[in-house]
């Protein structure tokens, strides 16, 4: 796998040398229970094609019996294709093996593909009214340890899929509203599973309007986002909300507020705060996020 990644990075570097533009990003997400660092680069290969590479590092702070003592590393290879009425996003990803030192826990790893198709339904440039609909279908296979309701523990491989349907409405380039719903499916079945110790962040399959690292096996999520935009100076303020139910955790609410703006020429910043809590006001988490982007 390391040789494959080296070849991919080499190809990406050669492509970047001849690219029209190169965007580089670095981000940090922090909370009381984890730290996450991510970095990536995207190159414009043509007028309607982008390709990139991203890497993430996640470290659990409070390691419980089902937690991970070692950091979790993952890599992503996003591709974006932009046609007149359709945009296609493809993101294959891979989680490196996280070796377990605790018997009887299984070594954990994962791989998968996230896809998103965005269709242009309205493009009224005269009145500045735009509407997009999007459909997502993502798939993953992960290896970990399953905890059953009867108390049994078993090393398991699990396949799962996530299906997303949503829309985005832009009003006069000033306000934007987005709503979506995602349903999760498990071909191997999870009806008797009380918990699962796996490395996969479910948001790699579907955006859930939260900054949290979500490893619990989801049933569905409902999301909404309102954005106030100032196109002349490249800044936005956004509010996000999500509700989700899970097979291996209590249902939870997520509230998010953020601000993105241009710091200097070719440099942009995105900052956000996220409060997550269960429906019974237990397990509250406060999460902070900052992202820096540069274009060359």
């Amino acid at each position: 796998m390391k040789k494959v990644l080296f070849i991919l990075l080499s190809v990406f570097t050669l492509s970047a040398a001849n690219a029209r533009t190169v965007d580089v990003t670095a981000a940090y997400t922090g909370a009381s229970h984890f730290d996450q660092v991510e970095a990536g680069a995207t190159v414009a290969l043509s007028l309607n094609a982008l390709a990139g590479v991203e890497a993430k590092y996640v470290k659990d702070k409070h390691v419980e019996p089902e937690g991970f003592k070692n950091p979790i590393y993952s890599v992503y290879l996003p591709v974006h294709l932009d046609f007149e009425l359709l945009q296609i996003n493809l993101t294959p990803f891979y989680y490196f093996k996280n070796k377990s030192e605790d018997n009887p826990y299984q070594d954990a790893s994962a791989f998968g593909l996230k896809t998103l198709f965005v269709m242009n339904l309205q493009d009224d440039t005269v009145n500045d009214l735009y509407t997009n609909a999007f459909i997502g279908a993502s798939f993953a296979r992960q290896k970990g340890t399953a905890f059953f309701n009867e108390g049994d523990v078993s090393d398991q491989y699990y396949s799962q899929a996530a299906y997303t349907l949503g829309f985005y409405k832009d009003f006069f380039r000033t306000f934007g509203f987005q709503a979506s719903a995602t349903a999760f499916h498990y071909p191997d079945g999870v009806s008797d599973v009380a918990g699962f110790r796996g490395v996969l962040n479910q948001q790699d399959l579907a955006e859930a309007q939260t900054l949290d690292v979500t490893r619990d096996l989801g049933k569905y999520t409902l999301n909404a986002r309102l954005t106030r935009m100032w196109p002349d100076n490249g800044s936005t303020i956004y509010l996000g909300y999500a509700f989700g139910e899970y097979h291996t955790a209590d249902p939870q609410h997520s509230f998010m507020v953020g601000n993105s703006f241009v710091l200097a020429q070719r440099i942009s910043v995105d900052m956000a705060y996220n409060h997550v809590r269960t429906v019974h006001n237990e397990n509250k988490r406060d999460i902070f996020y900052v992202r820096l982007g540069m274009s060359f």
Side-chain angles (χ1 to χ4, degrees):
M1 179 56 64
K2 291 182 179 179
K3 292 182 179 179
V4 174
L5 290 175
F6 176 78
I7 294 174
L8 291 172
L9 289 173
S10 299
V11 173
F12 179 82
T13 302
L14 292 173
S15 301
N18 299 315
R20 296 170 180 266
T21 61
V22 179
D23 295 323
V24 178
T25 61
Y28 169 76
T29 307
S32 61
H33 57 298
F34 76 93
D35 285 311
Q36 176 176 279
V37 178
E38 53 189 297
T42 303
V43 299
L45 302 178
S46 66
L47 291 176
N48 62 348
L50 301 174
V53 59
E54 299 175 0
K56 290 184 182 179
Y57 159 101
V58 179
K59 176 63 177 176
D60 291 345
K61 289 183 178 180
H62 304 299
V63 179
E64 298 180 3
E66 295 82 9
F68 293 93
K69 297 179 181 179
N70 299 320
I72 297 172
Y73 297 94
S74 55
V75 64
Y76 309 78
L77 299 172
V79 176
H80 174 80
L81 302 175
D82 192 350
F83 304 102
E84 183 176 355
L85 299 176
L86 176 67
Q87 298 176 27
I88 302 175
N89 297 315
L90 305 172
T91 307
F93 58 85
Y94 178 80
Y95 279 75
F96 293 92
K97 180 186 292 185
N98 195 292
K99 187 172 179 57
S100 177
E101 299 175 356
D102 299 325
N103 192 27
Y105 298 139
Q106 173 79 8
D107 295 348
S109 62
F111 62 90
L113 173 67
K114 179 180 180 181
T115 68
L116 187 68
F117 301 88
V118 183
M119 294 158 286
N120 188 357
L121 301 182
Q122 181 186 29
D123 189 0
D124 187 347
T125 57
V126 176
N127 299 306
D128 275 340
L129 296 173
Y130 308 91
T131 304
N132 292 330
F134 53 91
I135 299 174
S138 303
F139 308 91
R141 179 82 170 164
Q142 67 169 322
K143 178 183 181 182
T145 303
F147 304 87
F148 295 92
N149 290 319
E150 295 81 3
D152 296 332
V153 178
S154 174
D155 297 335
Q156 294 279 89
Y157 274 99
Y158 270 107
S159 296
Q160 66 178 104
Y163 303 101
T164 300
L165 179 63
F167 75 94
Y168 174 78
K169 181 73 174 179
D170 187 314
F171 300 91
F172 318 113
R173 297 293 189 187
T174 303
F175 293 97
F177 178 74
Q178 175 180 312
S180 64
T182 297
F184 296 89
H185 172 59
Y186 303 89
D188 300 310
V190 292
S191 59
D192 295 328
V193 176
F196 186 76
R197 184 180 184 269
V199 291
L200 177 64
N201 185 353
Q202 298 294 308
Q203 294 200 76
D204 287 341
L205 299 178
E207 304 270 340
Q209 291 299 326
T210 179
L211 300 172
D212 203 4
V213 173
T214 305
R215 302 190 189 114
D216 287 301
L217 304 181
K219 294 181 179 178
Y220 69 88
T221 61
L222 303 173
N223 315 313
R225 183 170 179 143
L226 178 64
T227 305
R228 173 68 166 94
M229 300 170 284
W230 291 269
D232 293 339
N233 58 19
S235 65
T236 67
I237 294 176
Y238 52 90
L239 301 172
Y241 169 75
F243 175 79
E245 286 200 10
Y246 302 87
H247 292 282
T248 57
D250 291 332
Q252 67 180 26
H253 301 280
S254 172
F255 306 91
M256 183 164 57
V257 58
N259 176 211
S260 64
F261 56 91
V262 175
L263 183 63
Q265 187 177 13
R266 298 181 179 273
I267 300 177
S268 62
V269 177
D270 186 8
M271 300 185 299
Y273 162 74
N274 184 205
H275 176 73
V276 184
R277 61 178 177 84
T278 65
V279 293
H280 303 297
N281 293 324
E282 298 175 352
N283 193 18
K284 299 179 181 179
R285 288 100 75 198
D286 294 302
I287 307 165
F288 299 90
Y289 169 82
V290 60
R291 175 182 176 273
L292 180 67
M294 293 181 288
S295 297
F296 300 95

